[in-house]
Amino acid sequence: MSAALLEVPTPLGPARVHRHDPDGAATGTDGAVAGTLVLGHGAGGGVDSADLAALAAAGPAAGWRVLLVEQPWKVAGRRIAPAPARLDEGWTAVLAGLRPDWLSGPLVLGGRSAGARVACRTSTSEGAAGVLALAFPLHPPGRPEKSRAAELHQVRVPLLVVQGATDAFGGPAEVRQALAGHAGTVAAVPGDHGLKKDPAAVAGAAVDWLRSL
């Protein structure tokens, strides 16, 4: 696996993109790349979270280019993420900066927690072929009436939600119920919202799904 780092200007300040390629993949469009998976981090962490790190290794091993996006607010050292509209603005600016050289093959958007929400909201406008939502925060802990299911319903392409069995932001059964009548698959893995208990299970579920696209 090869890696590279790119700083991308956005209206919110620079973002950083960490690129992880399959062995033998060339810069830009290359037959060795099955597709490109672009992942954003959550509101409380960065691209070094256990689940994202696991995918940065497992994705290239399965032939996918994996791009981990550090949003501008994180690069600037701020502790609190901006409002959803601003998150989406930074994200879409990054994707524009990556085209065409870094986006090869089918484009799958995703991320963990807040990053998963961003991917869902922007999947249609960005022409995604799929969405990978890790630890989707269906509702604030203890507040199921504050559902964010509408963001899942915005996805019009294949969707996989990888959810920890004891996630206080909504367990696998709650997410399945939220997706009733809508396209989408839920993979339950051990652990809570952090998805730290079994990162290999997270990556395994994601890679199996990527291979089915």
Side-chain angles (χ1 to χ4, degrees):
M1 180 183 73
S2 60
L5 178 65
L6 178 69
E7 188 169 278
V8 182
T10 83
L12 284 69
R16 290 196 196 107
V17 181
H18 302 254
R19 170 171 159 172
H20 302 268
D21 270 343
D23 287 338
T27 301
T29 302
D30 190 277
V33 178
T36 304
L37 173 62
V38 186
L39 297 170
H41 55 76
V47 295
D48 57 350
S49 63
D51 49 356
L52 296 182
L55 274 165
W64 281 74
R65 171 174 296 148
V66 177
L67 305 179
L68 303 183
V69 177
E70 285 185 83
Q71 282 264 25
W73 68 272
K74 188 71 175 179
V75 174
R78 301 187 185 97
R79 291 192 173 188
I80 300 176
R86 297 288 277 170
L87 286 175
D88 293 357
E89 185 180 359
W91 175 256
T92 55
V94 168
L95 292 173
L98 295 176
R99 291 186 170 97
D101 292 344
W102 278 35
L103 302 184
S104 299
L107 172 64
V108 175
L109 300 180
R112 66 162 285 104
S113 196
R117 297 179 62 193
V118 172
C120 289
R121 292 192 299 261
T122 61
S123 58
T124 298
S125 62
E126 293 299 324
V131 173
L132 173 61
L134 308 173
F136 185 86
L138 184 61
H139 57 71
R143 302 292 301 276
E145 73 279 6
K146 299 288 187 180
S147 176
R148 300 177 181 122
E151 294 178 346
L152 293 171
H153 300 166
Q154 291 181 43
V155 179
R156 298 288 184 264
V157 290
L159 165 68
L160 174 66
V161 183
V162 182
Q163 207 76 353
T166 59
D167 193 330
F169 290 79
E174 290 180 85
V175 177
R176 289 191 185 99
Q177 185 176 12
L179 283 172
H182 296 268
T185 303
V186 181
V189 296
D192 56 18
H193 192 66
L195 296 181
K196 298 177 182 178
K197 189 170 185 178
D198 194 347
V202 175
V207 166
D208 286 347
W209 175 77
L210 287 172
R211 286 176 172 144
S212 73
L213 294 179

